[in-house]
């Protein structure tokens, strides 16, 4: 994980606003994805996300917050929340996500496969896994 000065400043600002510990930050054109250390998400939930809105206003981007987990299947479940998968299975470095309906499948994949690409990049980064929607 290589962070430049700009990302470090954003992490510091986010940590100061939310009083959480950030494991990683992924910056996209339209949003920032903060990966929080395990157990830190409760600090966001307790404040009902008010600090997230403050951070979004200061950083001028949408913010997604995901709690890290050593278990790749739990992390994937955290990452795709609020989509509720029927199941997430792991076979030979491929995490298969099964969802109930076409709408959920469309949300997971995203326009031009953008959401699935994002999920694949993160799964590969932390667990060397590929993700497939079943």
């Amino acid at each position: 994980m290589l962070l430049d000065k700009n990302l470090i400043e954003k992490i510091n600002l986010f940590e100061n606003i939310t009083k959480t510990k950030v494991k990683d930050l992924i910056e996209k054109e339209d949003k920032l994805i903060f990966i929080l250390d395990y157990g830190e998400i409760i600090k966001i939930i307790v404040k009902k996300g008010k600090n997230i809105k403050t951070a979004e206003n200061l950083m001028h981007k949408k913010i997604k917050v995901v709690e890290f987990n050593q278990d790749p299947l739990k992390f994937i479940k955290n990452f795709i929340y609020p989509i509720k998968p029927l199941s997430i299975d792991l076979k030979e470095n491929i995490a298969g996500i099964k969802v109930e309906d076409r709408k959920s499948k469309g949300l997971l994949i995203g326009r031009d496969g953008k959401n699935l690409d994002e999920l694949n990049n993160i799964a590969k980064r932390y667990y060397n896994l590929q993700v497939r929607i079943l």
Side-chain angles (χ1 to χ4, degrees), residues 19-123:
K19 307 297 185 239
T20 59
K21 293 297 287 168
V22 173
K23 178 177 181 66
D24 197 3
L25 169 58
I26 297 146
E27 186 167 23
K28 298 291 182 179
E29 292 174 17
D30 58 337
K31 69 179 166 186
L32 298 168
I33 303 168
F34 286 92
I35 311 294
L36 300 184
D37 284 344
Y38 181 77
E40 292 289 300
I41 198 81
I42 193 71
K43 295 174 184 175
I44 303 283
I45 294 168
V46 168
K47 297 277 188 181
K48 298 184 175 131
K50 289 178 185 171
N51 293 336
I52 299 295
K53 292 293 176 205
T54 301
E56 283 179 338
N57 290 334
L58 288 170
M59 296 184 201
H60 307 292
K61 283 193 178 192
K62 282 287 192 192
I63 291 176
K64 177 175 181 156
V65 179
V66 181
E67 184 175 56
F68 184 76
N69 197 302
Q70 292 292 340
D71 179 339
L73 302 182
K74 288 180 181 174
F75 178 75
I76 290 169
K77 188 175 180 181
N78 291 345
F79 193 85
I80 65 174
Y81 180 84
I83 297 168
K84 294 185 181 4
L86 292 173
S87 65
I88 304 175
D89 299 310
L90 184 61
K91 289 183 185 163
E92 300 174 16
N93 285 357
I94 297 174
I97 303 173
K98 186 180 261 186
V99 289
E100 190 170 15
D101 54 27
R102 292 180 67 163
K103 182 180 179 191
S104 295
K105 192 172 191 175
L107 289 170
L108 277 175
I109 295 169
R111 177 167 283 147
D112 299 324
K114 192 167 85 171
N115 294 346
L116 183 56
D117 287 345
E118 188 174 273
L119 180 53
N120 263 308
N121 289 337
I122 288 175

